[in-house]
Amino acid sequence: MSISSKVIFSDEGKKRFQYGSDLSIYTERFIDGKLLSSGFQDNGVTIYEHSEFVDKPAFDLVIDGESLYYGWEFISFDSTEDESGNAIGSLTLKHSLKSIQLKIITSCCGFGFFRRAMEITNLSDVETVGLTSVVPLKGYIWEMTHNITENLKDATVYPYSVGRFRDVHWSNEGNFDWQDIALNTGTFFNSTQGQSGHGSPFFVLRNNIYGGYMVCQMGWSANWKASFLADYNNDRHSHETKINLNFEIMPVTVSPARLIAPGETIQASEVHFGMSHVDFDTAIQNLHAYLRRSVLKQVGDGLQPVIYNQAGYMVPSLLEPGMSEDGLKREIDIAAEIGAELFMVDAGWYGKNGQTGTDWGNTTGDWYAAEGLPNDLFPVFEYAKEKGLKYGLWVEAESAGSKSKIAAEHPDWFIEKHGKTIDRILDLSKPEVQNFVESEIIRLVEKYDLDMFRLDYNSCSPEGGFNLKGGRNENTHWRQVEAIYGIFDRVGKRFPNLQLENCASGGGRTDIGIVSRFTTTWVSDWFKMPRTVRILNGMSMALPPEYVNRSYGVGMQSSYNGNADTQMHVIMMAHPTLFGVTPSLAEANPAIMKCTKKYIKIYKEFIRTFHRTAKVYHHTPVIPGADGSGWAALEYVSDDQKKAVATVFRLVNAEENVYTLKFRGLKKGMKYQARIEPEGSEFILSGYALSKDGIEIKLDTALTSQMIMLTEYMNEPTQ
């Protein structure tokens, strides 16, 4: 039996629920008070009931230290459809011993993907309960039973591998790699710094014997953990050797993670997961298509603006003692000249100490123009409008520095741990703090009529803080995440045309929970070659590339390595931001200005026309080395296959001077007009030749690149 896209079959008599998303079929059974993950198929064929797994819970929930994966009573199952046409199944369970109700909501979203949400309700009229932990999704996939010894090839081949971001520290985001999952040995990876990490709760499971991929992301902006076990055993009933893959993903918080008041409902972190029997590129493309259609936010026409960030040469040690109206206007002149579309005022515009520009971290929280801006920012933003630019403002809304008015007047507004206040981090679990943060965001957006609001978060609290409630120390992480999500849900609704940019010390929060509430995101503070290429390469797996900010310019000393064309190539393949192209127009290097203008024009007139729907091909998914070695190649193809752009980068320690790029996403029977930058050559080739023979890219020095742009060639004029 095969089922079509985005459908739900429920058999309430057998308590069997099937969710279909294209060729991906996810099945759950409710048996003996447990909801079981019974099967996950990737080819559209429903397995027989007697072949389903009947011993693997689909979730775990621990309340006040007691596991509640069992002991449930079935209440109801309802099917609906959302405004996007996604089929939604809502299963309601009530626990037989605890006063807890659970609503498990599964959306079938197409492209082989599902969205899992979980609502936890305290049914008691009098008793507060404590959430110890929750695993919103766990399961069992890829049962292998036949000729395993022979099919493993040899002892060095493992049946399953997991792809994930190997590094979890600042400036090392996007370092994608595969890790074999050893037999009968647990494998896990996680974040520990109180954010979703400088990695991300994102993984790809791969079946190394029979093929196929499972892709999973969790929307959670604090600590998390993903775990895997290849269960290699002898089935006592069938006498067959089996290897099955167990997986789970969960938020990790000191207990109690969340106190749930009588009658209160909270929501667990959402999980987005899909399965497909395709190649790796298509698996990632399916993720991007699902995220773009059902998860990620866009405003207006959806075209990402070219951003010019003021924090380039405008730092005290290089140019002047701090922000000034004249200095910002000088930056606006540069932005307008090169063809940028939005001007961003970065950190240091606020607070009494803003005159020096060196104490921006200690004056956050006082969101009023600094002494160096006696006329406020109004003349600056008005000047930007006169130059045809939109404008945005950097705010680290969740923090208040030690020299701020907030710190002096409200020392109780910060998170506390073991009797000590943690610097800078406001405790959004307190209603008065959350209200202040939200009201300040709204005030600033309305005061300046902002086109973009940039949220930064430069602090981390690995364990979080604690608040004493009813004699129990509740951890702050859960409520902190709830608060920031709620704030930006409301801000986004109030200002539907406002661009929202997410940042957290670069890529400290790139999980889909926070990113889904913003229109673009910084994925790292590291822009130096060659690692910036690897960051783009990896992060454009977890997120579509138009949401991935990459920057070029002197800011953060990022552009001292590699040639100008190559650095521009990186940001053209992402969402481009520039900062510090030149100290002033009077001092501008004509060659740099010409190069910059050329590529901004290419982005706006060519790449951006199909960027939002482009299929991404990662020719080099794993880039080894400390900063990125060998070659890297990315290819983006329009949905109709009439346009494409690919860039080949020579990084460091490449063994050969030549890389042959064989396009993967072209229409074989179509002819393409090709143009290569920076060499400027043009020619016509068939999609077949570009795919079969490819283009030979010769680069004889490190940190150089070539960008290939393809457009359908029409040899006869259209009538």
Side-chain angles (χ1 to χ4, degrees):
M1 168 184 162
S2 62
I3 63 177
S4 62
S5 173
K6 298 188 290 185
V7 296
I8 295 172
F9 293 121
S10 63
D11 186 333
E12 293 195 18
K14 296 180 179 179
K15 304 296 186 294
R16 184 172 185 259
F17 313 102
Q18 273 197 327
Y19 304 93
S21 177
D22 292 332
L23 294 177
S24 183
I25 305 174
Y26 178 61
T27 306
E28 291 181 333
R29 297 279 298 276
F30 184 74
I31 301 175
D32 297 332
K34 296 178 289 186
L35 182 67
L36 305 176
S37 177
S38 299
F40 204 174
Q41 294 294 104
D42 62 10
N43 60 6
V45 178
T46 303
I47 60 176
Y48 290 117
E49 290 182 39
H50 67 76
S51 299
E52 294 173 352
F53 307 138
V54 292
D55 60 345
K56 296 298 176 182
F59 70 89
D60 193 13
L61 174 65
V62 182
I63 298 290
D64 291 329
E66 182 178 351
S67 177
L68 304 185
Y69 77 84
Y70 60 94
W72 295 94
E73 298 172 356
F74 175 83
I75 301 300
S76 65
F77 184 88
D78 300 304
S79 297
T80 57
E81 188 175 283
D82 67 14
E83 63 277 4
S84 299
N86 297 326
I88 302 174
S90 298
L91 171 65
T92 302
L93 305 174
K94 181 179 178 296
H95 202 263
S96 58
L97 298 177
K98 293 277 189 180
S99 296
I100 298 293
Q101 178 178 284
L102 198 60
K103 180 176 282 189
I104 299 173
I105 304 164
T106 307
S107 302
C108 308
C109 302
F111 311 103
F113 272 83
F114 306 91
R115 184 172 187 163
R116 168 58 63 89
M118 180 183 290
E119 296 177 357
I120 307 165
T121 301
N122 180 2
L123 297 176
S124 172
D125 294 329
V126 295
E127 182 183 6
T128 294
V129 298
L131 173 65
T132 303
S133 65
V134 59
V135 181
L137 183 71
K138 59 188 301 186
Y140 207 42
I141 57 174
W142 288 327
E143 183 177 52
M144 297 188 210
T145 58
H146 304 292
N147 302 318
I148 288 174
T149 303
E150 291 80 1
N151 285 335
L152 280 176
K153 187 178 179 181
D154 59 61
T156 66
V157 177
Y158 290 90
Y160 307 114
S161 298
V162 58
R164 83 287 185 231
F165 297 137
R166 189 175 68 185
D167 298 325
V168 294
H169 303 295
W170 179 86
S171 81
N172 286 280
E173 298 87 351
N175 189 5
F176 184 83
D177 201 1
W178 293 103
Q179 178 176 327
D180 291 332
I181 300 174
L183 301 180
N184 293 332
T185 302
T187 300
F188 75 90
F189 55 98
N190 62 309
S191 70
T192 60
Q193 296 302 305
Q195 304 170 329
S196 55
H198 289 275
S200 182
F202 157 79
F203 64 80
V204 182
L205 294 175
R206 182 179 67 191
N207 189 320
N208 294 328
I209 301 177
Y210 296 146
Y213 295 90
M214 176 189 174
V215 183
C216 182
Q217 292 199 57
M218 184 171 66
W220 180 250
S221 302
N223 292 335
W224 55 271
K225 178 181 180 181
S227 303
F228 314 93
L229 175 67
D231 188 3
Y232 190 19
N233 62 77
N234 290 312
D235 187 279
R236 66 172 180 258
H237 300 294
S238 65
H239 304 292
E240 290 182 309
T241 302
K242 293 184 177 181
I243 304 178
N244 307 96
L245 183 59
N246 296 264
F247 69 91
E248 65 179 34
I249 191 165
M250 62 183 293
V252 175
T253 307
V254 176
S255 177
R258 178 68 156 77
L259 297 177
I260 310 174
E264 185 181 16
T265 297
I266 68 169
Q267 183 167 319
S269 47
E270 288 190 337
V271 180
H272 310 260
F273 62 104
M275 199 174 189
S276 52
H277 206 104
V278 292
D279 58 89
F280 179 75
D281 282 327
T282 305
I284 295 300
Q285 291 162 12
N286 287 341
L287 170 66
H288 290 175
Y290 157 66
L291 293 176
R292 286 163 168 160
R293 181 182 183 274
S294 297
V295 180
L296 293 171
K297 177 184 176 70
Q298 57 177 305
V299 300
D301 58 12
L303 299 179
Q304 298 290 42
V306 177
I307 300 171
Y308 194 92
N309 195 76
Q310 146 268 318
Y313 284 96
M314 186 178 279
V315 293
S317 61
L318 293 179
L319 192 59
E320 55 190 309
M323 285 197 191
S324 68
E325 185 176 314
D326 288 342
L328 289 170
K329 288 180 177 179
R330 183 172 59 243
E331 293 289 300
I332 289 171
D333 287 338
I334 299 168
E337 177 65 22
I338 64 173
E341 297 164 310
L342 187 145
F343 180 73
M344 177 64 66
V345 175
D346 210 320
W349 62 269
Y350 46 84
K352 291 183 178 180
N353 294 310
Q355 180 70 28
T356 66
T358 59
D359 216 12
W360 65 269
N362 287 323
T363 54
T364 56
D366 292 344
W367 303 117
Y368 293 89
E371 295 171 1
L373 296 165
N375 299 313
D376 209 316
L377 288 167
F378 294 111
V380 174
F381 290 150
E382 186 62 34
Y383 189 68
K385 284 197 290 186
E386 292 173 4
K387 291 288 186 176
L389 297 171
K390 295 183 177 181
Y391 53 86
L393 190 64
W394 178 102
V395 181
E396 193 178 358
E398 299 155 89
S399 80
S402 60
K403 296 181 181 180
S404 67
K405 184 179 179 181
I406 297 297
E409 296 182 357
H410 300 283
D412 59 323
W413 280 17
F414 297 83
I415 64 173
E416 295 183 1
K417 175 181 174 183
H418 310 321
K420 296 182 179 179
T421 298
I422 299 179
D423 291 341
R424 301 190 80 246
I425 305 177
L426 293 173
D427 187 353
L428 268 63
S429 71
K430 297 178 178 178
E432 65 273 23
V433 182
Q434 182 181 155
N435 291 338
F436 167 77
V437 169
E438 184 169 350
S439 65
E440 285 294 271
I441 294 170
I442 292 171
R443 180 182 67 81
L444 291 169
V445 173
E446 291 181 337
K447 175 182 177 179
Y448 295 118
D449 192 21
L450 296 176
D451 297 298
M452 177 176 279
F453 181 94
R454 176 188 291 168
L455 177 73
D456 207 343
Y457 186 62
N458 292 293
S459 302
C460 63
S461 55
E463 194 179 43
F466 299 90
N467 287 316
L468 189 63
K469 295 184 177 183
R472 305 176 72 178
N473 264 323
E474 181 188 53
N475 190 264
T476 59
H477 274 163
W478 193 284
R479 289 188 188 268
Q480 198 90 2
V481 172
E482 284 181 336
I484 201 64
Y485 286 1
I487 287 172
F488 279 95
D489 284 341
R490 293 185 290 273
V491 167
K493 186 175 182 180
R494 182 169 182 149
F495 304 106
N497 295 317
L498 178 67
Q499 295 271 0
L500 292 167
E501 186 175 55
N502 168 56
C503 183
S505 292
R509 295 192 299 202
T510 57
D511 65 279
I512 207 65
I514 192 81
V515 174
S516 66
R517 291 163 168 88
F518 288 75
T519 57
T520 190
T521 194
W522 281 49
V523 296
S524 180
D525 270 342
W526 192 271
F527 307 111
K528 299 177 185 178
M529 294 288 294
R531 197 190 310 167
T532 184
V533 176
R534 189 171 68 191
I535 292 168
L536 167 64
N537 186 74
M539 293 308 300
S540 59
M541 297 178 193
L543 298 171
E546 69 271 16
Y547 288 86
V548 175
N549 278 20
R550 290 282 76 206
S551 296
Y552 163 72
V554 76
M556 303 183 77
Q557 301 181 3
S558 60
S559 298
Y560 295 159
N561 297 331
N563 69 19
D565 290 276
T566 297
Q567 302 204 38
M568 289 299 295
H569 289 168
V570 176
I571 71 170
M572 293 301 101
M573 300 295 282
H575 181 188
T577 298
L578 301 100
F579 53 167
V581 174
T582 178
S584 68
L585 286 181
E587 301 170 79
N589 179 333
I592 286 289
M593 297 296 284
K594 180 179 180 181
C595 177
T596 303
K597 290 179 183 180
K598 176 179 74 172
Y599 285 111
I600 288 177
K601 184 178 181 181
I602 286 172
Y603 175 76
K604 291 193 293 188
E605 296 182 359
F606 182 68
I607 297 174
R608 193 169 63 179
T609 63
F610 64 95
H611 209 196
R612 178 69 73 176
T613 59
K615 292 183 177 180
V616 180
Y617 296 84
H618 291 87
H619 290 254
T620 51
V622 177
I623 300 177
D627 282 324
S629 297
W631 295 80
L634 279 169
E635 172 191 348
Y636 304 162
V637 181
S638 66
D639 198 43
D640 61 8
Q641 298 176 289
K642 294 182 179 181
K643 295 181 181 179
V645 60
T647 303
V648 175
F649 301 91
R650 178 171 178 168
L651 306 179
V652 298
N653 299 321
E655 295 182 359
E656 303 289 339
N657 288 343
V658 174
Y659 182 94
T660 301
L661 175 68
K662 296 183 178 181
F663 281 83
R664 297 177 181 174
L666 304 182
K667 189 174 290 186
K668 302 292 193 301
M670 188 178 286
K671 286 186 177 181
Y672 292 91
Q673 175 81 41
R675 176 183 168 190
I676 299 182
E677 291 289 352
E679 68 180 46
S681 60
E682 296 188 4
F683 49 88
I684 298 168
L685 279 177
S686 70
Y688 179 80
L690 287 164
S691 304
K692 181 179 181 295
D693 301 321
I695 297 177
E696 185 178 273
I697 303 296
K698 184 177 181 181
L699 299 170
D700 68 357
T701 189
L703 307 188
T704 55
S705 61
Q706 288 196 347
M707 174 180 281
I708 304 97
M709 293 170 284
L710 303 177
T711 307
E712 180 188 18
Y713 175 69
M714 305 294 291
N715 56 357
E716 295 182 4
T718 57
Q719 299 298 320

